[in-house]
Amino acid sequence: GIFTATRRQAALNVLIPRCLRRGSSFAYITHGETVFTDFIANLNGWVVFSVLFQAYPTTLVGRWLFNRLIVKYPVSVTLPISFLVPIFAFIGSYAIYDEQIGITKIMSCIFIIGGLAIATFGHKIWHKLDFSRA
């Protein structure tokens, strides 16, 4: 089938590690214990949908697409695409949750795109300039 036993197990366990990773400790540091004590009171359908959507379809489809790209293209071309994840997260939070995109996020996107442009096309530009002729 589509999933081997290992992939099936990973798909079922994807939710638990997400909850136990750095996000929960960061939430405790920034907001205190109310994040955990008020969890049940703030739990609703949208929260459950959001967590399950991030845990399953987004992760599984994203990894499937990434693996397909790795098979077709070299890693040097495919890997920089993963650095675009924060940009798509900003766009998604703006479109879905009406979150404001401030100057810090805009500058972050500019740095990410600039770094990717230099990493991807920098050698071509460097060779076109050909400083050895000077």
Side-chain angles (χ1 to χ4, degrees):
I2 294 175
F3 294 111
T4 63
T6 307
R7 287 185 182 164
R8 233 180 272 136
Q9 182 182 3
L12 293 174
N13 292 329
V14 103
L15 184 61
I16 294 168
R18 282 188 182 271
C19 293
L20 297 177
R21 283 191 207 151
R22 64 189 173 273
S24 59
S25 58
F26 184 71
Y28 181 78
I29 291 168
T30 57
H31 299 291
E33 65 183 32
T34 60
V35 171
F36 300 103
T37 57
D38 295 344
F39 174 74
I40 298 297
N42 294 325
L43 192 63
N44 61 35
W46 283 110
V47 172
V48 172
F49 170 76
S50 177
V51 169
L52 292 176
F53 181 76
Q54 287 297 316
Y56 293 105
T58 304
T59 302
L60 294 176
V61 170
R63 294 209 188 257
W64 177 76
L65 287 172
F66 189 74
N67 289 338
R68 299 265 314 207
L69 288 172
I70 288 286
V71 168
K72 191 171 183 179
Y73 301 104
V75 175
S76 61
V77 172
T78 309
L79 190 59
I81 293 171
S82 65
F83 292 113
L84 295 174
V85 169
I87 295 172
F88 287 109
F90 293 152
I91 293 169
S93 66
Y94 174 76
I96 296 170
Y97 299 113
D98 200 27
E99 185 176 323
Q100 298 302 312
I101 298 179
I103 190 71
T104 306
K105 291 179 183 176
I106 292 171
M107 292 301 296
S108 300
C109 291
I110 290 170
F111 283 127
I112 290 169
I113 292 171
L116 287 174
I118 291 169
T120 305
F121 305 113
H123 65 283
K124 292 177 185 176
I125 295 169
W126 187 261
H127 289 299
K128 283 191 182 213
L129 293 175
D130 194 15
F131 289 108
S132 63
R133 288 184 280 164

